Amino acid sequence: MISGCCRIWDSLTDPMEPNELYSIRMRASLRGEHISGAERIVSQGQLERTVQELLQRARQKAEKPDHIVVKLDEIRTAELNMLTALDIVTVNVSDVITARSLASRILEKIGVSGIAVERAINALGSGAAAGKNMRGAMIMDARSGERLETDEKRGVRVSRFDWTDAALVTSINSLEDIGLTHHRTREALALATKVAHAPALVAELCWSDDPDYTAGYVASLGTGYVRFPMLKKRNDPYGGRVFFVDRSRVDLAVLYRYFQTEAVLINGIGRCRPALEPADYFA
Ligand code: WAQ
Ligand code: MG
């Protein structure tokens, strides 16, 4: 969907325009259970249209929400962090067991312990909020696998991140060039980019909770965004996110502030490699 373009870049590059940017957050639920959410940063002139887009998205879900929250917050442009998107590559593995074991291998190589990976995969695969999907992400000690988020039902929600207009167009084109056309990929890449730059962050592991979206990824500053087309079986309703942190360096208050209130605009795409066979990826 390119309808979000021409939002930010013009106002940021035109010195005559007041650079008023807004964070828009949407979350939708049914009988108290999270169904969908979205995060955007847009200029003032795009507020109405974006709110409408997000409402539409919430109501398009197969499960109709009975509660939708849309929040708008002004962002001071002086406080914007500009980041380049992580490099992205897909590792072509078509069965879940192999994909999870290769994802573990990558995570262990960059400092997540075997026990932490196992705990993360078990939690994601069985509903990390006492058998239900979380609205946000787990924060996990990369060594012990202990969960550190302050609310285990809700998790931490990362917001205030988006692509600039120019980078949005480039990302759509560059991802399309390597066969990635789903808006989920672009949105997850943006989120993973903000997350990877968080203080004391070691790595992220994610797969969708949508029963018919099976792809997931491992991401970190060192590895970039490494996708697997099948990190879970089709029709599996469980998914989520785990942020592994270095406990000896982490300050949870600082981390929460970064995730929830520091604004990140992504103004460029990283390296986009076509899909690789596992042997070539690990060569
Ligand atoms: N902050 C923290 N956690 C979040 C956020 C957020 N902004 N958004 C979603 N989550 C958590 C929450 O627990 C969801 O249940 C879970 O992640 C999955 O969210 O092709 O679509 O939006 O490369 O279903 C990854 C692969 C897709 C994309 C991820 O996630 C690709 C996806 P979903
Ligand atoms: Mg979902």
Side-chain angles (χ1 to χ4, degrees):
M1 189 170 63
I2 309 197
S3 62
C5 78
C6 315
R7 294 168 295 131
I8 297 161
W9 197 245
D10 301 341
S11 66
L12 279 183
T13 48
D14 180 351
M16 300 307 287
E17 282 287 310
N19 294 335
E20 282 178 42
L21 294 182
Y22 290 82
S23 146
I24 310 186
R25 291 175 283 167
M26 179 279 286
R27 59 186 169 81
S29 58
L30 175 61
R31 291 187 286 275
E33 271 176 52
H34 176 75
I35 300 179
S36 72
E39 331 290 327
R40 298 288 300 278
I41 296 177
V42 301
S43 57
Q44 197 177 28
Q46 301 301 318
L47 280 176
E48 278 81 2
R49 193 171 83 192
T50 310
V51 168
Q52 207 166 30
E53 270 172 28
L54 294 185
L55 266 183
Q56 231 165 40
R57 181 200 282 215
R59 296 163 72 194
Q60 262 165 11
K61 284 279 178 170
E63 283 184 297
K64 293 274 165 288
D66 61 11
H67 184 68
I68 302 174
V69 179
V70 178
K71 281 192 190 164
L72 296 104
D73 290 282
E74 193 180 326
I75 288 175
R76 307 240 311 262
T77 45
E79 294 166 0
L80 271 179
N81 299 294
M82 306 300 274
L83 297 176
T84 302
L86 297 175
D87 295 347
I88 177 169
V89 67
T90 299
V91 182
N92 253 337
V93 185
S94 54
D95 79 281
V96 176
I97 308 265
T98 313
R100 287 187 184 178
S101 95
L102 294 180
S104 310
R105 182 166 156 192
I106 298 171
L107 286 167
E108 287 180 49
K109 208 163 129 188
I110 56 179
V112 184
S113 75
I115 182 73
V117 174
E118 192 185 318
R119 286 191 175 167
I121 289 179
N122 286 341
L124 287 185
S126 60
K132 300 202 168 115
N133 286 313
M134 296 171 84
R135 167 145 54 99
M138 287 175 265
I139 299 175
M140 206 176 254
D141 178 339
R143 193 177 293 184
S144 69
E146 191 184 329
R147 285 171 65 173
L148 305 176
E149 71 273 16
T150 51
D151 178 341
E152 289 202 359
K153 178 148 197 290
R154 182 182 182 277
V156 60
R157 242 186 114 87
V158 181
S159 62
R160 302 189 194 214
F161 63 90
D162 206 341
W163 300 90
T164 62
D165 291 337
L168 179 69
V169 174
T170 317
S171 71
I172 289 170
N173 292 333
S174 307
L175 293 175
E176 207 173 83
D177 286 346
I178 54 168
L180 302 174
T181 53
H182 206 290
H183 66 86
R184 279 175 187 273
T185 309
R186 178 167 25 93
E187 289 169 4
L189 177 59
L191 183 146
T193 299
K194 177 169 180 183
V195 169
H197 285 84
L201 211 291
V202 177
E204 177 187 355
L205 171 66
C206 161
W207 65 79
S208 177
D209 57 358
D210 244 83
D212 54 10
Y213 201 81
T214 60
Y217 63 87
V218 167
S220 72
L221 285 181
T223 58
Y225 182 104
V226 186
R227 302 179 69 245
F228 294 90
M230 289 288 287
L231 264 189
K232 72 170 190 186
K233 290 205 177 93
R234 196 161 293 282
N235 297 325
D236 176 346
Y238 294 119
R241 289 184 152 88
V242 184
F243 304 149
F244 298 100
V245 297
D246 177 347
R247 196 172 190 170
S248 66
R249 288 192 293 129
V250 78
D251 178 335
L252 279 182
V254 169
L255 191 61
Y256 269 76
R257 193 181 329 125
Y258 175 79
F259 286 147
Q260 297 178 335
T261 62
E262 285 186 36
V264 164
L265 272 180
I266 300 171
N267 62 1
I269 186 97
R271 181 177 176 211
C272 298
R273 280 194 285 172
L276 293 175
E277 295 307 310
D280 296 321
Y281 177 78
F282 288 98

